[in-house]
Amino acid sequence: MSSYGLKIFSADGPDIILDSSHTMCCILGICSVEQHQTGIYVPDGYQYYVHLTNGSGYNVDFEMDEDGTNIWVCGAFDSRSYLDNNRQVILVNGPNAWGYGGDSGSGYNQLCIIVGYPMHNPVSGIGISFTGQNNFFSINQASLCAPVVFKGDITISAKDGWRPSNINPHLNFNNCAVFVYSDKQNTSIGIGFNRDFYEHALFAHNKDGVRLNYDISIKVVVFAKQKTINTLSKYGMRIYNSYGETVCDSTSGLLINPQLYSFGSVSHGEFVSIPNIRRPMFIPTSIGGYASFDKYSGVTKQVGFASNGFSLAPSYINHENYEWTRPFNGKFTSNFPLMILDAENYFTF
């Protein structure tokens, strides 16, 4: 963050210098990963990021033979994307993907959220500029804007996990982006399925991917569309687009200094620092898979993240045990880039 810009004083976090490291988080669209052509377009001058509840892992299926029911690893999912000539987001399989979804369908029957944010562009139009560049002139569709609607401490329940609806009934993992910060290096944070509520929830796991049997507290920052939850205040600064719509409110947190980082070459359990980030926050997802089946039993896990407060390490989540399995052994970590934020831009430590 620079020493020059417009300073905004905060009542519930660090004061910020509004400069070119700040931009507006926009949710450009939501789709199923089964779609190749998403129908979601990224405006000129925008960077985009594809967030998946489960980015990578193994799928299992059930099969009957002379010995009865068998469970086998039927495929792996590893999602990728690119922009076509019209800047439409196209979803494709990554190099670790093979087979098919099976009955579990964990890698195929899910939604993905396309997050966009304006990059620095030459000044032209209406908005706010920083030393000849701007992050706000090109925001013309205010309905896409997704500022911070919540930041604070939350508790991940051992029984139920944690869901965005715990802070607002209109929020869920299909309409918002939740960044988490933890300093518990022996604990992995990931998204699993809460069968009692029939929706996804955050869960905490030990290093082997088994859910913890006690509650833990972490910090979260939640981005959601302005129309999902009203974030405008009566006082402060607002930035308007050329249509007179509010695209930024000084009491609504911005997307500050987002960094993309790939963990494809990082060893399991190896903590690494993220360039330009002091206290990393990540959106929980899976970045790989592990499966070990013999003829009688087996286990699958996904690769999520653990944090010691200042660095991140690939770590197991979503440990599942099976019986009567077909032999298979495999593991992988995907190299798709993840969006990382700095908790020091949102919390006072």
Side-chain angles (χ1 to χ4, degrees):
M1 190 177 296
S2 73
S3 301
Y4 303 96
L6 182 64
K7 188 170 186 177
I8 298 178
F9 297 91
S10 173
D12 60 353
D15 301 333
I16 65 171
I17 300 293
L18 186 60
D19 60 15
S20 57
S21 70
H22 295 64
T23 187
M24 175 56 68
C25 178
C26 298
I27 294 180
L28 302 177
I30 299 170
C31 67
S32 167
V33 297
E34 292 180 310
Q35 295 176 245
H36 176 66
Q37 296 184 327
T38 65
I40 300 170
Y41 296 83
V42 179
D44 287 332
Y46 276 55
Q47 175 65 280
Y48 81 101
Y49 174 69
V50 174
H51 166 60
L52 301 166
T53 302
N54 293 303
S56 300
Y58 287 107
N59 282 317
V60 299
D61 204 354
F62 302 86
E63 180 182 72
M64 295 294 294
D65 61 18
E66 63 274 10
D67 295 325
T69 302
N70 264 263
I71 297 175
W72 62 294
V73 175
C74 62
F77 55 100
D78 182 25
S79 301
R80 292 291 189 277
S81 67
Y82 67 90
L83 297 183
D84 67 12
N85 292 334
N86 296 316
R87 297 185 63 83
Q88 177 185 194
V89 178
I90 306 297
L91 298 179
V92 295
N93 289 325
N96 299 295
W98 60 271
Y100 67 98
D103 289 343
S104 68
S106 57
Y108 295 84
N109 299 317
Q110 61 162 312
L111 295 179
C112 69
I113 299 177
I114 311 298
V115 176
Y117 50 101
M119 302 292 288
H120 308 328
N121 288 306
V123 171
S124 63
I126 301 170
I128 188 169
S129 67
F130 309 100
T131 60
Q133 302 291 313
N134 80 84
N135 291 357
F136 294 97
F137 287 134
S138 58
I139 304 176
N140 290 318
Q141 292 179 283
S143 62
L144 300 178
C145 293
V148 173
V149 298
F150 175 84
K151 62 177 180 178
D153 296 315
I154 59 101
T155 297
I156 299 179
S157 163
K159 178 179 181 294
D160 297 325
W162 179 87
R163 295 163 294 139
S165 58
N166 292 151
I167 58 174
N168 187 287
H170 299 292
L171 297 176
N172 56 63
F173 282 111
N174 293 335
N175 63 16
C176 65
V178 179
F179 287 83
V180 306
Y181 173 77
S182 170
D183 58 4
K184 302 168 178 61
Q185 69 176 20
N186 294 320
T187 300
S188 308
I189 308 296
I191 292 182
F193 197 73
N194 185 320
R195 291 178 174 83
D196 291 336
F197 295 94
Y198 206 72
E199 63 177 298
H200 288 96
L202 281 184
F203 287 97
H205 311 78
N206 66 16
K207 285 186 174 181
D208 200 39
V210 178
R211 288 184 185 176
L212 299 184
N213 59 4
Y214 54 88
D215 300 350
I216 71 163
S217 295
I218 62 170
K219 296 182 184 297
V220 301
V221 173
V222 182
F223 293 83
K225 288 186 179 182
Q226 290 178 341
K227 290 187 177 180
T228 304
I229 175 172
N230 185 21
T231 61
L232 298 181
S233 67
K234 294 181 180 180
Y235 306 99
M237 180 195 72
R238 290 180 184 170
I239 300 174
Y240 298 89
N241 64 13
S242 58
Y243 300 105
E245 301 168 316
T246 301
V247 296
C248 177
D249 183 278
S250 59
T251 60
S252 302
L254 298 171
L255 189 65
I256 305 174
N257 190 34
Q259 301 292 310
L260 298 179
Y261 190 84
S262 170
F263 290 81
S265 60
V266 179
S267 300
H268 188 84
E270 176 189 357
F271 282 92
V272 294
S273 299
I274 310 302
N276 303 311
I277 298 290
R278 178 167 167 77
R279 296 179 187 262
M281 302 190 76
F282 59 93
I283 310 179
T285 185
S286 58
I287 62 166
Y290 170 94
S292 179
F293 286 11
D294 60 24
K295 191 175 180 180
Y296 304 102
S297 63
V299 60
T300 62
K301 310 171 190 177
Q302 290 180 302
V303 181
F305 289 106
S307 170
N308 62 13
F310 296 96
S311 54
L312 299 177
S315 186
Y316 288 129
I317 58 174
N318 296 332
H319 183 123
E320 295 284 348
N321 292 307
Y322 300 93
E323 294 182 348
W324 305 115
T325 52
R326 182 190 298 179
F328 176 89
N329 285 281
K331 63 180 179 179
F332 70 93
T333 300
S334 177
N335 64 0
F336 69 82
L338 299 173
M339 182 183 287
I340 310 294
L341 301 183
D342 195 333
E344 290 194 355
N345 290 323
Y346 299 93
F347 300 99
T348 301
F349 291 90

